[in-house]
Amino acid sequence: MSRWCLYTWVREPRSLRRGLPALAVLAALLTTAAGVAGGAAGAVERDVLGSGGLTQIELSAFEGDASVRPLTASALRDAEGVSGVREVVADYVSVLYAEEDGTYDLPSHTLTPGDDLPYVEGAAPSGPLSEGEVVLPASAQGTDFRPFLGRSLAFGYTRATGSASGETEVLRLKVVGLYDPGWQVDGPGTAYLTEGTAAFLAAARAGQTAEVFRDTEGARSAVVVVRHQRDVAAAVAALRRDGFSASPVSDRVRHLPGLFGAADLAMRAGVLVLAVGAVVLGAVRAGDSVRGRIGQFAVLRILGSGRGELRWILLGEAVLTGGAAGFAGVLVGAGTSSALARPLSGLLGLPIAPLDALPGIGWAASALVLPALGLAVGTLLGSREALGRDPYLVARAHGV
């Protein structure tokens, strides 16, 4: 690149540097999307899949769908007998409410291996839950549960006595863990129990014993844990052959909807938009720039400069513009994605540090290179017609 390119790029108001702001915005959008998607994906890999999600399969029961096998006790035993399966934990759903003080009404679920709760500091269970223990949100529906950590708390629950009647009974549970209320995968204010306690409450709500409820109604969903990641595909195929609705947890988590999915889509589309946008902008700007300086270029042609030399000047301006736009876009995009780390953590319920939300090397390199490359291609296309004119006719027409 000659010093003449740098001189015209800096001094000439009609140079290609006018395309810098638009390209910088496109590069910043691509970098931001890459950082957001990368931060979310990293958090999922670290905190969900890394904690066992790669070896888990989710079973679902759909009420009224005869094509899907219900998750009754016998069905779950069959699932546990599939080759490679180590454990099956069923999720039973009910409600716990305030027995004395407070007005809370908490949905209850089984604490399954697929639940990686973000426990508040110093409030994580010391081990697996035992019967009679419960994990609660740190606060819910105006009630602060922190003072009850490590203590037994009385809850009310409903035992059905007829088709539209029931009576309140009391169950005492020890609060062994508290999690961040922002975690709302199963809805706000969820209480997590052992499988046995959760089945007991669901059965009482249906007016049945736990054994009868498990055998007839069954669970809403279940998590199957296999011995090794390599067993997942075979276990899923076997479960589906047996009529279960089975899907690997890794597949479900890696295709998260919402901001993660939108950012991932924007990141992939952003490469195409940036490349095409740079080419189009280069063609338009180069044509405008050459036409605006046609008299100057005509004089240079008459003095002996070839069209190739003039194209090198324009290409130099294109590379300088694209490089500056890419550099500025990466800086702005990286700063924006890092600033979005905290709100993204709240949205996903997973801790994401600002450094985690920085774009990957490949995406940053794309944002750096594509503006210059696309602008250079567009410049070659956009300058052909103007540089091909007879320099003497152009000079005479412009009074040079």
Side-chain angles (χ1 to χ4, degrees):
M1 185 185 301
S2 67
R3 288 178 295 177
W4 185 254
C5 299
L6 180 61
Y7 179 83
T8 59
W9 186 75
V10 174
R11 297 298 185 114
E12 175 56 58
R14 292 165 295 187
S15 73
L16 291 176
R17 75 170 188 273
R18 291 183 299 168
L20 194 155
L23 285 176
V25 170
L26 291 176
L29 290 175
L30 172 61
T31 309
T32 300
V36 168
V44 168
E45 292 285 347
R46 182 187 65 245
D47 295 325
V48 178
L49 301 181
S51 64
L54 288 172
T55 59
Q56 295 170 8
I57 301 167
E58 189 175 74
L59 304 182
S60 301
F62 301 98
E63 188 174 352
D65 189 346
S67 65
V68 175
R69 189 172 179 180
L71 302 180
T72 59
S74 61
L76 294 175
R77 283 194 295 270
D78 291 344
E80 199 162 19
V82 170
S83 176
V85 172
R86 179 169 59 86
E87 178 186 19
V88 177
V89 180
D91 182 18
Y92 296 94
V93 180
S94 187
V95 177
L96 290 171
Y97 49 85
E99 194 276 326
E100 294 177 349
D101 298 328
T103 57
Y104 54 84
D105 191 2
L106 309 178
S108 63
H109 284 261
T110 303
L111 184 62
T112 69
D115 296 313
D116 187 28
L117 304 183
Y119 293 102
V120 299
E121 186 176 355
S126 57
L129 292 188
S130 301
E131 296 299 330
E133 295 181 340
V134 64
V135 173
L136 299 175
S139 61
Q141 301 174 25
T143 301
D144 184 4
F145 290 106
R146 294 174 189 268
F148 299 103
L149 181 62
R151 295 168 50 188
S152 179
L153 184 61
F155 294 92
Y157 69 95
T158 300
R159 179 177 295 279
T161 56
S163 59
S165 61
E167 58 185 23
T168 298
E169 297 195 7
V170 177
L171 176 68
R172 298 195 70 86
L173 299 171
K174 183 179 181 180
V175 181
V176 296
L178 298 172
Y179 67 89
D180 187 339
W183 173 270
Q184 298 184 5
V185 171
D186 294 306
T190 299
Y192 290 96
L193 308 159
T194 62
E195 182 179 344
T197 305
F200 167 79
L201 290 172
R205 196 178 186 189
Q208 300 174 0
T209 63
E211 292 74 14
V212 171
F213 184 83
R214 286 177 184 244
D215 290 336
T216 56
E217 303 292 333
R220 176 175 294 184
S221 63
V223 173
V224 176
V225 182
V226 298
R227 293 185 177 87
H228 194 276
Q229 180 185 349
R230 61 175 174 266
D231 298 322
V232 170
V236 168
L239 289 166
R240 288 175 177 171
R241 284 196 300 270
D242 288 344
F244 291 100
S245 172
S247 59
V249 170
S250 59
D251 288 353
R252 173 175 58 83
V253 171
R254 282 178 173 143
H255 295 87
L256 286 173
L259 182 59
F260 181 24
D264 188 62
L265 179 62
M267 177 177 63
R268 298 178 188 280
V271 173
L272 180 62
V273 171
L274 180 58
V276 173
V279 172
V280 172
L281 186 65
V284 173
R285 289 297 188 193
D288 292 343
S289 180
V290 173
R291 282 189 291 271
R293 293 184 281 173
I294 193 69
Q296 298 176 20
F297 287 154
V299 171
L300 291 175
R301 290 282 305 281
I302 293 171
L303 293 177
S305 296
R307 281 182 292 181
E309 294 179 70
L310 299 181
R311 285 198 183 97
W312 276 112
I313 293 175
L314 293 172
L315 284 175
E317 292 181 2
V319 171
L320 287 169
T321 301
F327 183 74
V330 168
L331 287 181
V332 173
T336 303
S337 62
S338 296
L340 290 173
R342 183 179 295 275
L344 185 63
S345 298
L347 181 68
L348 295 180
L350 299 172
I352 301 175
L355 289 178
D356 296 335
L358 291 176
I361 294 177
W363 293 108
S366 297
L368 281 170
V369 173
L370 283 177
L373 183 61
L375 198 59
V377 172
T379 297
L380 290 176
L381 296 175
S383 61
R384 291 178 62 184
E385 186 271 334
L387 291 180
R389 298 179 185 177
D390 188 303
Y392 294 97
L393 295 178
V394 171
R396 187 177 300 116
H398 287 75
V400 179

mmCIF file of all heavy atoms in Angstrom, residues 125 127-135 172-176 192-194 197:
data_model
loop_
_atom_site.group_PDB
_atom_site.id
_atom_site.type_symbol
_atom_site.label_atom_id
_atom_site.label_comp_id
_atom_site.label_asym_id
_atom_site.label_seq_id
_atom_site.Cartn_x
_atom_site.Cartn_y
_atom_site.Cartn_z
ATOM 1 N N PRO A 125 -27.626 -27.936 49.870
ATOM 2 C CA PRO A 125 -27.713 -29.181 50.646
ATOM 3 C C PRO A 125 -26.342 -29.845 50.731
ATOM 4 O O PRO A 125 -25.536 -29.763 49.803
ATOM 5 C CB PRO A 125 -28.702 -30.036 49.846
ATOM 6 C CG PRO A 125 -29.443 -29.070 48.983
ATOM 7 C CD PRO A 125 -28.490 -27.957 48.687
ATOM 8 N N GLY A 127 -25.766 -32.953 50.668
ATOM 9 C CA GLY A 127 -25.763 -34.171 49.860
ATOM 10 C C GLY A 127 -27.111 -34.344 49.198
ATOM 11 O O GLY A 127 -27.922 -33.416 49.142
ATOM 12 N N PRO A 128 -27.390 -35.547 48.658
ATOM 13 C CA PRO A 128 -28.704 -35.795 48.044
ATOM 14 C C PRO A 128 -29.825 -35.617 49.064
ATOM 15 O O PRO A 128 -29.641 -35.833 50.272
ATOM 16 C CB PRO A 128 -28.603 -37.258 47.588
ATOM 17 C CG PRO A 128 -27.130 -37.532 47.493
ATOM 18 C CD PRO A 128 -26.493 -36.707 48.558
ATOM 19 N N LEU A 129 -30.995 -35.198 48.597
ATOM 20 C CA LEU A 129 -32.131 -35.009 49.489
ATOM 21 C C LEU A 129 -32.589 -36.335 50.085
ATOM 22 O O LEU A 129 -32.548 -37.376 49.431
ATOM 23 C CB LEU A 129 -33.301 -34.368 48.747
ATOM 24 C CG LEU A 129 -33.167 -32.928 48.285
ATOM 25 C CD1 LEU A 129 -34.505 -32.421 47.743
ATOM 26 C CD2 LEU A 129 -32.692 -32.030 49.409
ATOM 27 N N SER A 130 -33.037 -36.271 51.325
ATOM 28 C CA SER A 130 -33.640 -37.421 51.992
ATOM 29 C C SER A 130 -35.127 -37.155 52.153
ATOM 30 O O SER A 130 -35.598 -36.014 52.046
ATOM 31 C CB SER A 130 -32.994 -37.645 53.366
ATOM 32 O OG SER A 130 -31.602 -37.872 53.231
ATOM 33 N N GLU A 131 -35.890 -38.224 52.423
ATOM 34 C CA GLU A 131 -37.325 -38.057 52.631
ATOM 35 C C GLU A 131 -37.566 -37.082 53.785
ATOM 36 O O GLU A 131 -36.872 -37.112 54.801
ATOM 37 C CB GLU A 131 -37.974 -39.404 52.954
ATOM 38 C CG GLU A 131 -37.902 -40.420 51.831
ATOM 39 C CD GLU A 131 -38.606 -39.968 50.572
ATOM 40 O OE1 GLU A 131 -39.590 -39.202 50.665
ATOM 41 O OE2 GLU A 131 -38.173 -40.362 49.470
ATOM 42 N N GLY A 132 -38.509 -36.179 53.581
ATOM 43 C CA GLY A 132 -38.805 -35.187 54.617
ATOM 44 C C GLY A 132 -37.996 -33.927 54.502
ATOM 45 O O GLY A 132 -38.071 -33.057 55.377
ATOM 46 N N GLU A 133 -37.202 -33.783 53.435
ATOM 47 C CA GLU A 133 -36.409 -32.577 53.232
ATOM 48 C C GLU A 133 -36.941 -31.822 52.011
ATOM 49 O O GLU A 133 -37.531 -32.408 51.097
ATOM 50 C CB GLU A 133 -34.936 -32.919 53.037
ATOM 51 C CG GLU A 133 -34.294 -33.538 54.273
ATOM 52 C CD GLU A 133 -32.828 -33.851 54.088
ATOM 53 O OE1 GLU A 133 -32.377 -33.962 52.919
ATOM 54 O OE2 GLU A 133 -32.112 -33.991 55.099
ATOM 55 N N VAL A 134 -36.685 -30.518 51.991
ATOM 56 C CA VAL A 134 -37.180 -29.682 50.914
ATOM 57 C C VAL A 134 -36.165 -28.581 50.603
ATOM 58 O O VAL A 134 -35.439 -28.123 51.497
ATOM 59 C CB VAL A 134 -38.549 -29.056 51.280
ATOM 60 C CG1 VAL A 134 -38.420 -28.115 52.481
ATOM 61 C CG2 VAL A 134 -39.168 -28.311 50.093
ATOM 62 N N VAL A 135 -36.092 -28.193 49.325
ATOM 63 C CA VAL A 135 -35.292 -27.057 48.895
ATOM 64 C C VAL A 135 -36.259 -25.978 48.425
ATOM 65 O O VAL A 135 -37.145 -26.237 47.613
ATOM 66 C CB VAL A 135 -34.329 -27.439 47.753
ATOM 67 C CG1 VAL A 135 -33.635 -26.201 47.205
ATOM 68 C CG2 VAL A 135 -33.306 -28.446 48.245
ATOM 69 N N ARG A 172 -44.659 -31.692 57.782
ATOM 70 C CA ARG A 172 -43.470 -30.968 58.235
ATOM 71 C C ARG A 172 -42.261 -31.423 57.419
ATOM 72 O O ARG A 172 -41.997 -32.619 57.294
ATOM 73 C CB ARG A 172 -43.214 -31.183 59.733
ATOM 74 C CG ARG A 172 -44.346 -30.675 60.617
ATOM 75 C CD ARG A 172 -43.898 -30.561 62.081
ATOM 76 N NE ARG A 172 -42.944 -29.464 62.273
ATOM 77 C CZ ARG A 172 -43.296 -28.205 62.496
ATOM 78 N NH1 ARG A 172 -44.579 -27.864 62.560
ATOM 79 N NH2 ARG A 172 -42.371 -27.280 62.666
ATOM 80 N N LEU A 173 -41.538 -30.432 56.864
ATOM 81 C CA LEU A 173 -40.378 -30.707 56.036
ATOM 82 C C LEU A 173 -39.199 -29.859 56.516
ATOM 83 O O LEU A 173 -39.377 -28.707 56.913
ATOM 84 C CB LEU A 173 -40.660 -30.380 54.564
ATOM 85 C CG LEU A 173 -41.792 -31.163 53.887
ATOM 86 C CD1 LEU A 173 -42.100 -30.569 52.514
ATOM 87 C CD2 LEU A 173 -41.420 -32.628 53.750
ATOM 88 N N LYS A 174 -38.024 -30.435 56.465
ATOM 89 C CA LYS A 174 -36.824 -29.707 56.875
ATOM 90 C C LYS A 174 -36.256 -28.959 55.676
ATOM 91 O O LYS A 174 -36.010 -29.540 54.611
ATOM 92 C CB LYS A 174 -35.781 -30.667 57.433
ATOM 93 C CG LYS A 174 -34.524 -29.957 57.953
ATOM 94 C CD LYS A 174 -33.526 -30.948 58.526
ATOM 95 C CE LYS A 174 -32.281 -30.232 59.054
ATOM 96 N NZ LYS A 174 -31.294 -31.197 59.607
ATOM 97 N N VAL A 175 -36.032 -27.663 55.847
ATOM 98 C CA VAL A 175 -35.481 -26.831 54.775
ATOM 99 C C VAL A 175 -33.966 -27.014 54.772
ATOM 100 O O VAL A 175 -33.266 -26.547 55.676
ATOM 101 C CB VAL A 175 -35.851 -25.349 54.972
ATOM 102 C CG1 VAL A 175 -35.296 -24.510 53.824
ATOM 103 C CG2 VAL A 175 -37.360 -25.178 55.083
ATOM 104 N N VAL A 176 -33.452 -27.697 53.732
ATOM 105 C CA VAL A 176 -32.021 -28.011 53.691
ATOM 106 C C VAL A 176 -31.274 -27.206 52.628
ATOM 107 O O VAL A 176 -30.047 -27.293 52.534
ATOM 108 C CB VAL A 176 -31.798 -29.517 53.447
ATOM 109 C CG1 VAL A 176 -32.346 -30.332 54.599
ATOM 110 C CG2 VAL A 176 -32.421 -29.948 52.124
ATOM 111 N N TYR A 192 -38.680 -27.975 45.843
ATOM 112 C CA TYR A 192 -38.139 -29.226 45.305
ATOM 113 C C TYR A 192 -38.030 -30.265 46.413
ATOM 114 O O TYR A 192 -37.509 -29.991 47.502
ATOM 115 C CB TYR A 192 -36.782 -28.977 44.655
ATOM 116 C CG TYR A 192 -36.884 -28.178 43.379
ATOM 117 C CD1 TYR A 192 -36.700 -26.794 43.377
ATOM 118 C CD2 TYR A 192 -37.184 -28.800 42.171
ATOM 119 C CE1 TYR A 192 -36.808 -26.060 42.200
ATOM 120 C CE2 TYR A 192 -37.296 -28.068 40.988
ATOM 121 C CZ TYR A 192 -37.104 -26.705 41.012
ATOM 122 O OH TYR A 192 -37.223 -25.985 39.856
ATOM 123 N N LEU A 193 -38.503 -31.477 46.105
ATOM 124 C CA LEU A 193 -38.621 -32.554 47.080
ATOM 125 C C LEU A 193 -37.967 -33.822 46.550
ATOM 126 O O LEU A 193 -37.581 -33.898 45.387
ATOM 127 C CB LEU A 193 -40.102 -32.830 47.367
ATOM 128 C CG LEU A 193 -40.980 -31.643 47.749
ATOM 129 C CD1 LEU A 193 -42.442 -31.969 47.493
ATOM 130 C CD2 LEU A 193 -40.754 -31.282 49.206
ATOM 131 N N THR A 194 -37.903 -34.846 47.412
ATOM 132 C CA THR A 194 -37.485 -36.157 46.941
ATOM 133 C C THR A 194 -38.616 -36.760 46.106
ATOM 134 O O THR A 194 -39.776 -36.323 46.176
ATOM 135 C CB THR A 194 -37.178 -37.094 48.102
ATOM 136 O OG1 THR A 194 -38.379 -37.288 48.868
ATOM 137 C CG2 THR A 194 -36.082 -36.534 49.002
ATOM 138 N N THR A 197 -41.539 -38.059 48.415
ATOM 139 C CA THR A 197 -42.388 -37.008 48.995
ATOM 140 C C THR A 197 -43.239 -36.346 47.919
ATOM 141 O O THR A 197 -44.425 -36.073 48.130
ATOM 142 C CB THR A 197 -41.524 -35.951 49.696
ATOM 143 O OG1 THR A 197 -40.677 -36.583 50.659
ATOM 144 C CG2 THR A 197 -42.390 -34.917 50.390
#
